[in-house]
Amino acid sequence: MNSKLIKTLLIFIGYVFFTNILGLILKLVGINNNVTTMFISDLIYTLIVIKSYKSDLQKEFKEYKKQKSKLKNILIWVLILFGTNILFSLILKLMIPQLNSLDNNSESLVQLFEISTIYTFFKTLLYAPVIEELVFKKSIRDIINNDIAFVLISSSIYTIMNFIYTSSIPKYMYFDIIQYFTFSSILSIAYIKNKNIIPIMIIKFIYNLIPTILLIIKVVL
């Protein structure tokens, strides 16, 4: 079996089961807090994934530093993401006036912030931009060369995983499915265009940073 395929499979197995396995171990030593368990497991998994892709990250970072118009490229994709979300919100608001005005990203951020501030920063500004993009983009791209197949498979898996880790099924699930899939598809296309995972991480970091700052300002005020 191809070594990259084995690596991708192990990365996904870890993504799905690592928290549960570590949770059982932590319970044996008397740690039962769910947030603590998630934080520790996410932190360890982050170190494992980064270590697994260390050479690739170093190589792509060196290549990215040589690219021109880096800031312009990043801003364009960030604007596309926000523009798409705004368009979705307007369409959904017209179709279903009683629907929550928050997009999936903002709503998840608010819920996480209510649980733990520190964990929110870690999850949204490190784990999501770095680990999720390595898992759902880099690992899948390593084994799928066809652009269309990559976008469809990567975005489908990302969407499914987001619903697996959702505590309750959204009332208008089909809208959320479209929104998650579209969001991931945009980042997948950006990855294809850039041929480098580093700018994709930066794009997602900025995309998550802006609502995080707005949420902090709202809480402080």
Side-chain angles (χ1 to χ4, degrees):
M1 188 181 289
N2 187 289
S3 60
K4 288 187 175 180
L5 177 58
I6 294 174
K7 185 176 181 178
T8 296
L9 290 173
L10 290 175
I11 289 293
F12 269 94
I13 289 172
Y15 187 87
V16 175
F17 297 109
F18 190 75
T19 299
N20 293 330
I21 294 172
L22 187 63
L24 293 174
I25 296 173
L26 291 177
K27 282 184 179 179
L28 294 176
V29 296
I31 300 176
N32 297 305
N33 186 282
N34 288 333
V35 175
T36 302
T37 298
M38 290 189 294
F39 203 161
I40 293 174
S41 66
D42 284 348
L43 185 57
I44 295 174
Y45 183 70
T46 296
L47 296 175
I48 292 173
V49 174
I50 290 177
K51 177 67 176 177
S52 299
Y53 288 103
K54 181 180 178 181
S55 59
D56 290 333
L57 288 170
Q58 289 175 335
K59 178 184 176 182
E60 294 193 26
F61 183 71
K62 289 179 181 179
E63 292 174 351
Y64 180 65
K65 287 197 298 183
K66 298 176 184 178
Q67 293 182 11
K68 298 179 180 180
S69 304
K70 292 191 286 289
L71 180 59
K72 180 181 178 182
N73 178 59
I74 295 295
L75 291 177
I76 288 173
W77 286 106
V78 170
L79 289 173
I80 290 173
L81 285 175
F82 276 111
T84 303
N85 257 337
I86 292 171
L87 181 61
F88 261 109
S89 297
L90 291 173
I91 293 173
L92 296 184
K93 199 66 180 176
L94 289 172
M95 295 178 66
I96 310 173
Q98 68 272 27
L99 192 66
N100 193 322
S101 60
L102 290 176
D103 59 74
N104 288 320
N105 185 63
S106 300
E107 190 170 5
S108 299
L109 185 60
V110 171
Q111 293 172 353
L112 191 59
F113 197 85
E114 292 174 350
I115 297 173
S116 171
T117 304
I118 297 176
Y119 185 50
T120 300
F121 292 145
F122 169 78
K123 194 77 172 180
T124 58
L125 302 180
L126 177 61
Y127 190 88
V130 177
I131 302 308
E132 286 186 0
E133 295 315 297
L134 285 174
V135 173
F136 297 110
K137 302 294 184 294
K138 174 66 177 172
S139 69
I140 296 176
R141 188 59 169 173
D142 281 348
I143 60 175
I144 299 177
N145 292 321
N146 182 274
D147 291 346
I148 296 176
F150 166 67
V151 172
L152 293 176
I153 293 173
S154 173
S155 301
S156 296
I157 294 175
Y158 174 82
T159 303
I160 292 169
M161 286 297 179
N162 270 280
F163 278 98
I164 288 176
Y165 290 101
T166 300
S167 58
S168 60
I169 298 176
K171 186 176 180 180
Y172 302 100
M173 186 175 69
Y174 48 96
F175 285 124
D176 290 328
I177 289 174
I178 295 172
Q179 204 165 2
Y180 278 124
F181 187 87
T182 303
F183 172 80
S184 183
S185 295
I186 292 171
L187 288 177
S188 295
I189 294 170
Y191 186 26
I192 293 171
K193 296 292 184 182
N194 285 272
K195 297 182 175 63
N196 193 312
I197 197 64
I198 302 301
I200 312 308
M201 292 177 176
I202 298 173
I203 291 166
K204 192 166 184 180
F205 172 81
I206 295 174
Y207 178 80
N208 285 350
L209 178 63
I210 294 174
T212 301
I213 292 174
L214 292 176
L215 181 59
I216 293 171
I217 293 173
K218 182 179 179 181
V219 170
V220 171
L221 296 179

